[in-house]
Amino acid sequence: MHYARLERSAGAAERIIREMALDEDPELLIALERRLRADYQALVRPTFSYDFHVLKLRDSVLEAWETEKVRERTDTLLEMARRAVERKLEHDQMRRVTRVNLAVTIVAILSFVQCVDSALNLWSRFFE
């Protein structure tokens, strides 16, 4: 049951990652990652015994089901989506920085013009 849930979650995550623009919704990426990690943990941790043979049997079943490949596939897809989100956030940050720098430059130019005007007024008062 847990394996089927993990497989469905992985398939759904793969479809969402491939079809949607995740860089627009980082919360969706976080929710997908949490769900996949929870499903994987539910699969690998239901053993109620610390008996070596039971643990070995569990590991053999997980290996036969290739759960590691499912987890690696979802981790790879999530990493790709995470990078897309990070690139989008970085791009947005650079745009904000550019706008702030432009505003500061404009204020500095206006202040410089005002200082030059004030200096010329002082000059004209004292030397006329």
Side-chain angles (χ1 to χ4, degrees):
M1 179 176 86
H2 290 294
Y3 180 77
R5 185 181 303 153
L6 176 64
E7 187 65 36
R8 280 193 310 270
S9 295
E14 185 173 356
R15 281 191 303 279
I16 290 171
I17 289 170
R18 290 179 190 268
E19 294 171 3
M20 293 182 60
L22 286 176
D23 56 352
E24 296 174 4
D25 190 7
E27 293 301 318
L28 178 61
L29 178 64
I30 292 168
L32 278 174
E33 188 172 7
R34 281 185 187 151
R35 181 177 175 189
L36 288 167
R37 299 230 184 269
D39 287 345
Y40 182 75
Q41 289 303 318
L43 177 66
V44 298
R45 294 193 186 234
T47 306
F48 297 108
S49 172
Y50 293 102
D51 182 23
F52 173 76
H53 296 91
V54 174
L55 292 174
K56 196 72 171 157
L57 176 66
R58 183 203 66 181
D59 290 345
S60 297
V61 168
L62 292 175
E63 187 176 320
W65 284 347
E66 296 180 335
T67 55
E68 192 63 27
K69 288 182 182 179
V70 173
R71 188 188 61 77
E72 286 177 8
R73 180 183 81 185
T74 57
D75 283 347
T76 301
L77 290 169
L78 287 171
E79 184 63 30
M80 289 168 43
R82 186 179 297 118
R83 285 185 191 144
V85 169
E86 288 171 354
R87 280 193 304 271
K88 170 94 165 103
L89 292 174
E90 186 177 302
H91 178 55
D92 290 347
Q93 181 68 24
M94 288 301 296
R95 284 186 18 215
R96 273 187 241 115
V97 166
T98 302
R99 288 179 188 158
V100 168
N101 286 341
L102 180 63
V104 168
T105 302
I106 290 170
V107 168
I109 290 170
L110 292 175
S111 296
F112 178 73
V113 168
Q114 186 66 33
C115 287
V116 168
D117 184 49
S118 297
L120 290 175
N121 283 338
L122 283 173
W123 181 267
S124 65
R125 275 193 184 178
F126 290 117
F127 294 109
E128 279 187 5

